[in-house]
């Protein structure tokens, strides 16, 4: 009943689009979210973790950039141009039809004489042009077109004023605070100003073509429709050529894998290789509640899942780039943090923006993330598994990485027996979380395997002995009387992170305790078949309110069901979770099991990583089973 009441409160009289209705644009240096109305409601400059310029997603007065018909706000259709992150919106009015395409432009590398951005990874052949381009074409009848651009910099704590930058009415400059990035609006529309708002309206007739571009660097924006159309085409080709490097099965779920791959690429910060958890901050996990976090950072635990997924799909360069970002953070011997800024920043002090109302009045709106300083003992296992996966992929391990391995394994040895905050970053009392101990075992196990590769016999023997000690401790203290692994020592509460047990090879897939744990979670930690990460009434996470089902956990259950051999149940769940994808095949962090509404930050990298792993896992298992049936049939014949 509580879930129904929560959903009604979320949906009633909302001025905000549903989270799942947003579209992601990216040039691999910034991201924008576009509402169905044609309104750009989220854009942070000059980096994704910088203050917002458009922030209407968190407060309807915090800045927006709308382009569309004057009197229609619900489009006839929206899609990504296949194989790209270029958004195409089709509009129908009483008098005609419009097609608008939106993109953050990517072009060929354009300047070797200066370094506008500090690249920690080798720059590729393509670079962000620092331009949000919007092209318009009238395909039938006539339509009144409206453009409204009202930046509200620094999370709506600063203002902007417009002035003309050249002769005529089509080039404008937004004056912000001294030292801030310049915002330029160019195109072939006649602009006017009202306070901090630049706007234009015109009648477009069949065959008419227009464009408008918002730019924030010295790189020249398009100066004509022909130039704009060419750059839009180049951006589409960039995404398609990149996607062609992947290896995707010929399967009906191929499109989900490709969209997830494109989303992960779009959430990667090209200069450093960092993969950020999501493009947004403070979209609520609990409608109207306080479970609102800033996810515009890079989590170390994502590295293991990112490398699993990206190597599986053939995107070795992206996997290697993220691995190098992670390795950079600890190569000087510094302690490993839970997360970092996209440039490797260590201080992510959390603060509150009281001037913003929050999405659907969900407060507080947070920037920064206090979990960066928590003790979360799974990080050593995530890092060492990443090192192991990277070494297997390359069939070698660079010399700079081995000292990192030694240091981080020793950290796991030093701390594995202590309580921590766990994989879910609880803000209640530290506990002896079973999954944290399991990942400490992963750290020792992978460390021992890497030592064996190098012929470090003494270290291999030492680390294997500690791995065995941790393993025995978990099996003795992390299991209840039913033979089910529990959230932490001394409780009967369940935790979805233990679905990873067979995936990290802590126990064999046919171990009865693994099977019992997977089935207990499937039957007792679900709402309408979708998986909760834990029961909030059983876990002291330090925050009030309820939350939806965690989509990553549902995909973990798919993979775990495959591991224990229950393919029919795995397929049924996978089909169900895929059916909850947004209209543009994106996922937030959570899903309300009652309504299917998406909750939390969006789009969520962790969810798309889990989707890739689950879908590939299931496809491979079914193909193997089909080959077995085929061989058996041949033998019988």
């Amino acid at each position: 009943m509580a879930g129904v009441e929560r959903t009604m409160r979320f949906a009633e009289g909302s001025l905000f689009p549903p989270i799942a209705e947003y579209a992601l644009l990216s040039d691999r240096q910034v991201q924008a979210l576009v509402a169905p109305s044609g309104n750009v409601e989220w854009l942070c400059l000059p980096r994704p973790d910088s203050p917002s310029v458009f922030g209407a997603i968190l407060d309807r007065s915090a800045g927006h950039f709308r382009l569309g018909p004057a009197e229609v706000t619900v489009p006839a259709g929206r899609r990504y141009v296949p194989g790209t992150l270029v958004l195409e919106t089709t509009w129908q009015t009483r008098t005609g039809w419009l097609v608008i395409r939106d993109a953050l432009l990517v072009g060929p590398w354009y300047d070797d004489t200066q370094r506008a951005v500090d690249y920690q990874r080798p720059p590729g052949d393509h670079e962000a042009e620092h331009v949000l381009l919007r092209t318009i074409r009238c395909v039938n009848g006539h339509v009144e077109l409206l453009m409204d651009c009202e930046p509200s910099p620094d999370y709506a704590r600063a203002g902007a004023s417009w002035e003309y930058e050249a002769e005529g009415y089509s080039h404008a400059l937004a004056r912000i605070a001294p030292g801030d990035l310049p915002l330029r609006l160019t195109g072939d529309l006649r602009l006017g100003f009202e306070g901090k708002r630049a706007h234009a309206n015109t009648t477009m007739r069949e065959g008419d073509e227009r464009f408008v571009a918002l730019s924030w660097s010295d790189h020249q924006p398009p100066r004509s429709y022909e130039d704009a159309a060419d750059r839009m085409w180049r951006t589409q080709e960039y995404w398609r050529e990149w996607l062609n490097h992947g290896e995707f099965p010929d399967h009906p779920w191929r499109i989900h894998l490709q969209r997830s791959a494109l989303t992960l690429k779009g959430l990667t910060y090209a200069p450093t290789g960092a993969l950020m958890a999501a493009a947004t901050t403070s979209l609520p996990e609990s409608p109207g509640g306080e479970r609102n976090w800033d996810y515009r950072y890079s989590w170390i635990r994502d590295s293991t899942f990112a490398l699993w997924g990206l190597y599986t799909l053939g995107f070795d360069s992206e996997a290697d780039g993220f691995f190098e970002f992670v390795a950079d953070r600890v190569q000087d011997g510094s302690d490993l943090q839970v997360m970092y800024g996209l440039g490797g920043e260590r201080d992510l002090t959390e603060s509150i923006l009281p001037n913003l109302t929050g999405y659907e009045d969900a407060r507080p709106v947070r920037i920064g993330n206090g979990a960066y300083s928590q003790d979360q003992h799974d990080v050593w296992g995530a890092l060492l598994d990443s090192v192991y996966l990277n070494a297997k992929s390359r069939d070698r391990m660079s010399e700079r990485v081995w000292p990192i391995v030694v240091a981080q394994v020793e950290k796991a040895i030093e701390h594995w027996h202590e309580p921590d905050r766990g994989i879910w970053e609880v803000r209640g009392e530290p506990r002896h979380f079973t999954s944290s101990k399991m990942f400490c075992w992963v750290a020792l196990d992978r460390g021992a395997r890497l030592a064996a590769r190098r012929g470090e016999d003494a270290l291999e023997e030492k680390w294997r002995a500690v791995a065995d000690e941790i393993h025995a401790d978990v099996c003795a203290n992390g299991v209840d009387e039913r033979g089910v692994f529990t959230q932490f020592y001394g409780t009967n509460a369940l935790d979805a992170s233990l679905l990873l047990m067979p995936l990290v090879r802590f126990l064999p897939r046919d171990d009865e305790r693994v099977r019992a744990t997977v089935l207990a979670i499937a039957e007792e930690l679900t709402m309408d078949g979708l998986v909760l990460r834990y029961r909030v009434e059983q876990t002291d996470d330090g925050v009030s309110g309820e939350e939806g089902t965690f989509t990553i956990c549902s995909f973990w259950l798919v993979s775990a069901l495959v591991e224990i051999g229950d393919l029919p149940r795995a397929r049924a769940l996978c089909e169900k979770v895929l059916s909850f994808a947004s209209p543009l095949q994106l996922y937030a962090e959570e899903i309300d099991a009652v309504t299917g509404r998406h909750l939390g930050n969006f789009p969520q990298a962790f969810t798309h990583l889990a989707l890739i792993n689950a879908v590939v896992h299931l496809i491979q298992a079914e193909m193997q089973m089909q080959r077995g049936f085929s061989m058996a049939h041949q033998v019988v014949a």
Side-chain angles (χ1 to χ4, degrees):
M1 186 65 179
V4 175
E5 293 172 352
R6 181 176 71 242
T7 301
M8 289 175 63
R9 188 167 63 248
F10 181 85
E12 183 179 0
S14 175
L15 297 176
F16 293 78
I19 291 171
E21 296 290 335
Y22 285 98
L24 171 74
L25 305 180
S26 173
D27 61 10
R28 306 177 306 133
Q29 287 195 22
V30 298
Q31 289 78 32
L33 292 186
V34 188
S37 64
N39 207 20
V40 177
E41 299 194 356
W42 186 247
L43 175 64
C44 300
L45 298 176
R47 291 191 347 186
D49 51 359
S50 299
S52 63
V53 172
F54 302 126
I57 197 172
L58 293 177
D59 188 308
R60 301 318 282 169
S61 62
H64 67 273
F65 179 16
R66 183 182 184 254
L67 183 69
E71 297 181 358
V72 178
T73 58
V74 178
R78 296 170 88 214
R79 65 163 191 158
Y80 282 115
V81 176
T84 78
L85 283 180
V86 174
L87 177 67
E88 181 181 273
T89 305
T90 301
W91 296 93
Q92 180 194 13
T93 72
R94 289 178 301 143
T95 59
W97 292 73
L98 281 181
V99 175
I100 295 177
R101 285 191 174 180
D102 296 325
L104 285 163
L105 293 182
V106 180
W109 189 268
Y110 54 83
D111 193 350
D112 282 322
T113 63
Q114 60 179 340
R115 295 190 298 273
V117 177
D118 290 329
Y119 267 76
Q120 297 172 20
R121 306 277 76 79
D125 296 331
H126 296 84
E127 170 69 309
E129 293 192 358
H130 312 295
V131 177
L132 172 57
L133 176 63
R134 320 189 75 176
T135 62
I136 316 104
R137 182 165 52 93
C138 183
V139 296
N140 173 263
H142 66 276
V143 179
E144 296 296 318
L145 178 74
L146 175 68
M147 189 222 72
D148 228 359
C149 184
E150 186 173 327
S152 199
D154 192 22
Y155 302 113
R157 294 179 296 190
S161 60
W162 291 96
E163 61 185 47
Y164 294 111
E165 193 178 22
E167 296 296 326
Y169 294 92
S170 59
H171 296 73
L173 173 68
R175 294 281 183 194
I176 312 176
D180 280 358
L181 287 171
L183 282 180
R184 288 182 168 85
L185 201 59
T186 58
D188 51 12
L189 300 175
R190 291 182 295 277
L191 305 173
F193 312 129
E194 292 179 359
K196 62 179 184 178
R197 181 171 72 103
H199 64 102
N201 60 280
T202 188
T203 299
M204 294 191 64
R205 303 186 182 279
E206 185 171 336
D208 285 351
E209 296 171 323
R210 298 283 186 270
F211 81 100
V212 61
L214 184 76
S215 59
W216 49 91
S217 76
D218 293 332
H219 188 63
Q220 288 297 314
R223 293 292 179 176
S224 67
Y225 181 84
E226 291 73 20
D227 184 17
D230 181 62
R231 295 202 201 188
M232 186 71 76
W233 176 83
R234 284 191 329 212
T235 299
Q236 292 172 189
E237 288 302 293
Y238 163 77
W239 289 111
R240 284 171 170 158
E241 289 176 9
W242 176 81
L243 195 63
N244 286 342
H245 287 91
E247 300 170 1
F248 300 95
D250 184 18
H251 191 278
W253 292 342
R254 174 191 183 104
I255 188 63
H256 293 281
L257 294 172
Q258 291 182 329
R259 182 50 54 192
S260 290
L262 286 163
T263 302
L264 294 174
K265 182 71 168 176
L267 292 173
T268 300
Y269 184 61
T272 64
L275 175 65
M276 65 178 179
T280 58
T281 179
S282 297
L283 294 185
E285 298 174 8
S286 178
E290 62 175 309
R291 295 175 180 269
N292 318 316
W293 316 110
D294 194 346
Y295 277 13
R296 298 171 297 160
Y297 307 113
S298 193
W299 267 252
I300 292 300
R301 76 169 53 89
D302 287 8
S303 63
T304 232
F305 303 103
L307 268 60
W308 281 359
L310 293 172
Y311 282 140
T312 297
L313 296 181
F315 293 112
D316 292 11
S317 177
E318 285 68 27
D320 291 345
F322 188 25
F323 173 78
E324 295 299 336
F325 169 80
V326 172
D328 286 348
R329 308 287 71 83
V330 289
Q331 67 176 352
D332 61 355
S334 58
D335 287 343
L336 183 65
Q337 288 190 178
V338 175
M339 68 186 86
Y340 295 87
L342 301 182
E345 295 82 5
R346 299 179 64 87
D347 185 355
L348 306 179
T349 300
E350 187 174 299
S351 61
I352 290 171
L353 297 174
N355 63 303
L356 298 180
T357 64
Y359 180 91
E360 290 285 353
D361 295 320
R363 295 176 179 173
V365 173
R366 293 180 172 95
I367 54 174
N369 196 311
Y372 82 95
S373 60
Q374 284 186 351
D375 290 327
Q376 297 177 22
H377 295 168
D378 65 296
V379 294
W380 300 302
L383 175 64
L384 269 296
D385 200 37
S386 299
V387 174
Y388 183 67
L389 288 168
N390 182 262
K392 283 180 62 179
S393 173
R394 295 179 173 185
D395 199 28
R396 64 180 177 84
M397 182 173 59
S398 66
E399 285 303 313
R400 85 170 181 124
V401 173
W402 178 243
I404 295 173
V405 171
V406 175
Q408 300 308 317
V409 171
E410 292 298 326
K411 284 287 184 183
I413 293 174
E414 181 182 353
H415 296 289
W416 75 265
H417 60 282
E418 300 170 356
D420 74 324
R421 303 284 181 173
I423 190 173
W424 303 126
E425 303 177 348
V426 300
R427 301 193 176 197
E429 288 299 313
R431 300 281 190 179
H432 289 281
F433 286 102
T434 305
S435 64
S436 295
K437 311 287 189 190
M438 177 179 71
F439 269 96
C440 286
W441 173 85
V442 170
L444 273 295
D445 176 78
R446 303 317 190 252
R449 295 187 190 203
L450 291 165
R453 280 173 165 254
R454 288 177 55 89
E456 303 275 357
D457 296 340
L459 279 179
E460 179 193 5
E461 182 178 354
K462 172 189 173 183
W463 292 347
R464 182 58 63 195
V466 180
D468 292 344
E469 181 184 356
I470 299 172
H471 197 280
D473 188 78
V474 172
C475 291
N477 299 299
V479 186
D480 67 12
E481 62 279 1
R482 300 184 299 168
V484 171
F485 284 95
T486 60
Q487 184 178 53
F488 53 86
Y489 290 3
T491 185
N492 289 323
L494 297 173
D495 191 307
S497 64
L498 296 170
L499 292 167
L500 296 171
M501 190 166 282
L503 303 180
V504 300
R505 304 299 185 241
F506 181 82
L507 284 171
R509 65 184 69 182
D510 58 356
D511 189 287
E512 281 303 314
R513 291 165 294 181
V514 168
R515 183 176 182 83
T517 302
V518 172
L519 294 180
I521 291 171
E523 293 161 10
E524 302 170 26
L525 197 60
T526 55
M527 290 181 63
D528 195 23
L530 302 180
V531 184
L532 299 161
R533 54 180 182 168
Y534 51 76
R535 297 279 180 186
V536 294
E537 65 273 14
Q538 295 178 326
T539 300
D540 176 22
D541 60 12
V543 190
S544 64
E546 302 178 51
E547 61 184 23
T549 63
F550 262 58
T551 315
I552 185 174
C553 299
S554 295
F555 282 123
W556 284 349
L557 180 55
V558 172
S559 296
L561 288 168
V562 172
E563 286 289 323
I564 66 172
D566 195 343
L567 297 191
R569 192 168 182 175
R571 168 169 270 276
L573 177 58
C574 195
E575 289 175 338
K576 181 170 186 170
V577 184
L578 291 177
S579 74
F580 283 105
S582 82
L584 294 172
Q585 297 180 326
L586 303 176
Y587 285 90
E589 185 173 28
E590 302 180 18
I591 293 172
D592 187 311
V594 177
T595 66
R597 284 184 176 270
H598 289 220
L599 304 170
N601 286 307
F602 184 83
Q604 180 86 357
F606 219 178
T607 303
H608 286 276
L609 290 168
L611 182 156
I612 291 170
N613 293 319
V615 167
V616 171
H617 220 105
L618 182 54
I619 290 174
Q620 289 178 343
E622 289 185 337
M623 290 175 63
Q624 185 175 4
M625 184 177 67
Q626 290 169 2
R627 284 195 296 268
F629 284 153
S630 177
M631 291 178 63
H633 179 74
Q634 291 175 13
V635 169
V636 171

